[in-house]
Amino acid sequence: MKRPLAVLGGEKVRTRPFPTWPVFGTEEERRLLNALRSGKWGKLNGSEVAEFEGCFAAMHGCKHGIGIVNGTVSLRIALMAGGIRADDEVIVPSYTFLATATAVIEANAIPVFADVNLETFNLDPKSIEAAITPRTRAIIPVHMAGQAADMDAIMAIARKHDLLVIEDAAHAHGASYKNRPAGSLGKAGSFSFQSSKNITCGEGGLLITSDDDFADACRSIHNCGRMAGGLWYEHHVISGNYRLGEFQGAVLNAQLDRLEEQIAMRDHNGQYLAARLSQIPGIYPQKRPADCTRHSYHLFIFRIVAATFGAPRSAVLQALGAEGIPVCGGYALPLYRQPLFLNKAFGPYLAPSSAKLDYAAVKSPNCEKVCYEQGAWFEQNLFLGAENDMDDIACAFEKVYENRHALKSLVQ
Ligand SMILES: Cc1ncc(COP(=O)(O)O)c(C=O)c1O
């Protein structure tokens, strides 16, 4: 006999809460108190940020780590250090968070959108090629949800056209591509430690690179244009104070102790859930190519194909939520459909050539399908428990599928 859906008055599959985020403990307290009592609260005279920069860079096999206020500013600093100039074009995915593209605008350059692969949600190399013009200078691949983009293909395009590659690894702490850490594959990798991220200090960011000159340029831009060995009030380039603070560094060092274990847990649970959900008609978890040797599952993204499942996404998400499974539809709009782009509300950053741009004419069909019809996300904290948490998610899904015809009453 069918179990009635919770959304229609039946019992919930899941009544226990899922693991919460952030996870923290006495090590965060100890380090924070030490930093507080030391009176050295800024990066320039403390040791916490420096320690974290070194550890995080080493964990990625990179020579340099530069702690920055957040993952939006770190992207912009990387573009500036990479020599991006006014009116240059930078290719970004249509399916990403706002910051990947606004960092380009704030570097006085022009974001050009390329589509993603419908199955991996990562930049489609063919769409990148199609977006290249004589003014293209850089590509920002995003490792979407924590699964590395197709970096061999992207680096080959970059070599062919002499383009800078800055990896937006805001979702990808601990992810790997062909056993090489995500973030270490292009010129630089940019990370975010904002509250939702897989390692967090509330707000924070960091760049990693193995290029000495590039690292010097990033350090200078994030530190008021100062140069190593220069005078305190000697400023060489357009820049600002974008340094990460010591309290953030203290929390990040403590978080780092748990990161490996948490990455392994998320990757295990994510793969387990993907295998279970793939059995349900019309449910397509993010396809994992063999190149993805570790997925950080900042998000677990999947598609709901209504015609195959037998009910539309909105009704499925509502029913899952009622079963006690936190889920959402993810980015609701392709980035180029945000009012910011349609109105070119770029403020002082409206590049001279932007006048000719018409973002209303951009089309990324796969991204549109994911945003408007099919995409759905689970957040990373759901994956920090045991396999039986995944079983509950899968059971709720199976129950919704069994009752898919009853969902008609939920369709607006
Ligand atoms: C893909 C992506 N890039 C960049 C950022 C920006 O990071 P922050 O919020 O630390 O500025 C985010 C944050 O959500 C993100 O998801």
Side-chain angles (χ1 to χ4, degrees):
M1 215 189 55
K2 277 191 206 162
R3 301 158 291 170
L5 288 173
V7 74
L8 300 174
E11 300 269 310
K12 282 178 171 209
V13 167
R14 174 88 181 189
T15 47
R16 286 181 300 130
F18 282 97
T20 54
W21 186 257
V23 174
F24 58 93
T26 50
E27 184 60 5
E28 275 84 354
E29 288 176 12
R30 187 187 71 78
R31 284 193 181 256
L32 274 170
L33 266 179
N34 278 351
L36 180 77
R37 288 173 180 153
S38 74
K40 295 173 178 171
W41 297 354
K43 172 179 182 170
L44 296 177
N45 58 5
S47 60
E48 290 287 347
V49 173
E51 181 181 337
F52 182 73
E53 289 174 335
C55 291
F56 202 75
M59 170 187 155
H60 290 82
C62 283
K63 283 169 74 177
H64 307 280
I66 301 134
I68 292 167
V69 287
N70 61 46
T72 307
V73 172
S74 58
L75 282 172
R76 173 158 57 88
I77 290 178
L79 291 168
M80 291 167 74
I84 295 300
R85 295 281 176 269
D87 256 11
D88 285 350
E89 292 180 0
V90 178
I91 296 176
V92 300
S94 305
Y95 193 67
T96 180
F97 181 63
L98 173 83
T100 316
T102 52
V104 175
I105 297 171
E106 288 189 325
N108 223 355
I110 300 173
V112 173
F113 291 99
D115 204 358
V116 293
N117 179 293
L118 185 61
E119 294 182 308
T120 64
F121 310 103
N122 270 323
L123 262 180
D124 174 2
K126 283 201 207 73
S127 187
I128 298 176
E129 288 267 21
I132 288 176
T133 74
R135 293 223 312 273
T136 308
R137 296 284 175 271
I139 310 172
I140 308 183
V142 175
H143 302 308
M144 190 60 207
Q147 178 169 295
D150 187 353
M151 288 305 290
D152 280 354
I154 291 170
M155 295 309 291
I157 295 171
R159 277 191 296 276
K160 184 168 147 200
H161 297 275
D162 192 22
L163 306 176
L164 172 74
V165 175
I166 306 296
E167 298 169 69
D168 185 344
H171 297 176
H173 318 77
S176 67
Y177 174 85
K178 296 187 172 175
N179 291 311
R180 295 168 61 205
S184 70
L185 305 159
K187 175 66 85 181
S190 169
F191 290 83
S192 163
F193 308 116
Q194 169 270 342
S195 301
S196 70
K197 300 301 187 296
N198 290 21
I199 163 173
T200 181
C201 56
E203 304 291 354
L206 188 131
L207 285 170
I208 53 171
T209 183
S210 287
D211 181 316
D212 296 340
D213 293 338
F214 187 86
D216 284 348
C218 293
R219 281 206 184 92
S220 179
I221 296 167
H222 99 305
N223 186 22
C224 306
R226 297 188 173 100
M227 296 287 189
L231 298 175
W232 182 247
Y233 289 117
E234 190 183 312
H235 310 283
H236 291 260
V237 288
I238 182 69
S239 53
N241 172 4
Y242 304 120
R243 302 179 299 260
L244 187 67
E246 282 293 284
F247 298 143
Q248 279 82 5
V251 173
L252 288 170
N253 281 318
Q255 294 266 302
L256 209 50
D257 293 345
R258 292 182 211 94
L259 186 61
E260 267 304 314
E261 193 188 336
Q262 291 173 338
I263 294 168
M265 212 182 288
R266 290 189 190 97
D267 195 20
H268 172 81
N269 283 331
Q271 290 189 70
Y272 179 84
L273 183 66
R276 287 215 46 187
L277 296 191
S278 303
Q279 307 299 314
I280 301 172
I283 302 302
Y284 300 94
Q286 183 175 29
K287 185 172 170 187
R288 180 173 178 142
D291 294 345
C292 171
T293 38
R294 197 156 70 165
H295 193 311
S296 62
Y297 283 108
H298 173 57
L299 301 165
F300 180 105
I301 308 192
F302 56 99
R303 289 183 300 125
I304 302 169
V305 176
T308 317
F309 188 90
R313 170 178 69 169
S314 58
V316 177
L317 298 185
Q318 200 184 333
L320 279 173
E323 295 297 338
I325 310 298
V327 64
C328 71
Y331 304 132
L333 296 175
L335 209 37
Y336 54 81
R337 286 273 182 274
Q338 292 285 351
L340 157 73
F341 289 102
L342 295 179
N343 301 326
K344 282 185 281 182
F346 300 168
Y349 300 109
L350 191 68
S353 301
S354 297
K356 283 181 267 159
L357 288 176
D358 179 10
Y359 285 101
V362 177
K363 265 214 121 348
S364 292
N366 290 336
C367 173
E368 293 191 10
K369 203 171 267 184
V370 176
C371 291
Y372 294 137
E373 293 171 39
Q374 301 184 347
W377 298 356
F378 295 127
E379 291 185 0
Q380 52 94 2
N381 55 299
L382 270 57
F383 298 84
L384 288 176
E387 264 182 14
N388 60 22
D389 290 337
M390 303 300 105
D391 291 331
D392 281 350
I393 298 174
C395 283
F397 243 112
E398 286 155 8
K399 183 177 167 192
V400 173
Y401 179 69
E402 276 170 30
N403 287 277
R404 60 196 177 282
H405 302 302
L407 290 177
K408 287 206 174 66
S409 60
L410 296 181
V411 178
Q412 293 95 13

